[in-house]
Amino acid sequence: MSHIFIKTIIVLTGGILQGIGMGLFLFPHFIPSGGAGGIAVLLNYWFHIHTGLALWLVNSSMLLVAVKYLGKRVAVWTVIGITMTSASIAFFEQTVIIGNRNLLVDFFCGSLLLGTGIGLLMRQSVSNGGVGVIALIVAHKRSISPGQPLFWINCSVFIFTAIVIDWKIILLALGSQWIATRIVNLICQLNFYPSYTLSWRKK
């Protein structure tokens, strides 16, 4: 039970940190946090749907498609993570107002928090949702690394988002992904709580 309790706390914390990074720092500048984030930004831009709700809808629909490849247990934890992320985005978008925003400060703060949140989730073998699950399906069917389809799917979404909203978005999105990925790798390589064996590779 203690393992489940600790895992629950870490998954919720990871979801909250993702939500803060997205809702408080990245999304106000329409910077997508990934493929699903880009779609959420577009839904908000076109239909004025709250990005938290839009992200949850996108992630949930993709997750349902990929449950058979992720496994039910991982899917349940992923739903918990993305629900907490979406709830956090909605909360911070509606309750926290930052005056005199600085794009670079928001960019770096959002990217660091995003990477930290994803890293905590991945250490628990929990997907953060998004187009990553679609990339896994493509990789499975074609017997290739998921990195390749994930890269092209994310880039396609970034480019389309940039065309619709602003071309500088693609540079910011790629930069944010680079920083977040470095943080994810760092967190996944560190040995937190070794007595609980929270290796991100362990199923």
Side-chain angles (χ1 to χ4, degrees):
M1 290 299 294
S2 61
H3 290 193
I4 295 177
F5 176 76
I6 291 175
K7 180 166 184 170
T8 300
I9 295 299
I10 294 177
V11 169
L12 293 177
T13 301
I16 291 172
L17 291 177
Q18 272 199 109
I20 296 174
M22 296 178 189
L24 197 57
F25 296 107
L26 297 179
F27 285 175
H29 299 284
F30 295 104
I31 302 174
S33 56
I39 297 173
V41 167
L42 288 171
L43 291 175
N44 171 260
Y45 184 79
W46 282 329
F47 307 110
H48 305 291
I49 301 174
H50 287 301
T51 46
L53 175 59
L55 185 67
W56 189 87
L57 292 173
V58 173
N59 279 331
S60 297
S61 61
M62 292 182 180
L63 183 61
L64 288 174
V65 173
V67 163
K68 61 184 296 185
Y69 297 100
L70 294 175
K72 293 181 179 179
R73 184 176 62 178
V74 174
V76 169
W77 283 109
T78 300
V79 168
I80 294 173
I82 63 176
T83 299
M84 181 54 65
T85 296
S86 298
S88 299
I89 292 172
F91 174 80
F92 286 104
E93 280 185 334
Q94 297 177 21
T95 61
V96 180
I97 299 176
I98 300 178
N100 300 317
R101 283 186 173 277
N102 183 287
L103 175 60
L104 289 180
V105 172
D106 286 356
F107 169 78
F108 283 109
C109 288
S111 301
L112 291 173
L113 287 167
L114 175 66
T116 302
I118 294 175
L120 290 176
L121 292 174
M122 290 187 69
R123 283 187 66 90
Q124 299 304 304
S125 298
V126 176
S127 168
N128 67 315
V131 298
V133 292
I134 304 301
L136 288 176
I137 295 176
V138 174
H140 177 79
K141 290 185 175 297
R142 298 192 176 184
S143 299
I144 59 176
S145 169
Q148 183 178 353
L150 180 62
F151 174 80
W152 289 111
I153 294 171
N154 278 337
C155 283
S156 298
V157 175
F158 291 160
I159 292 172
F160 187 68
T161 304
I163 292 173
V164 172
I165 302 177
D166 191 332
W167 271 104
K168 72 179 180 181
I169 287 176
I170 190 171
L171 297 178
L172 293 171
L174 291 174
S176 178
Q177 286 291 297
W178 186 86
I179 294 173
T181 300
R182 302 285 79 74
I183 299 299
V184 169
N185 290 338
L186 175 63
I187 291 176
C188 289
Q189 290 168 5
L190 293 177
N191 291 320
F192 294 130
Y193 312 113
S195 61
Y196 293 100
T197 62
L198 300 182
S199 171
W200 71 276
R201 294 184 178 88
K202 187 173 182 179
K203 302 298 181 183

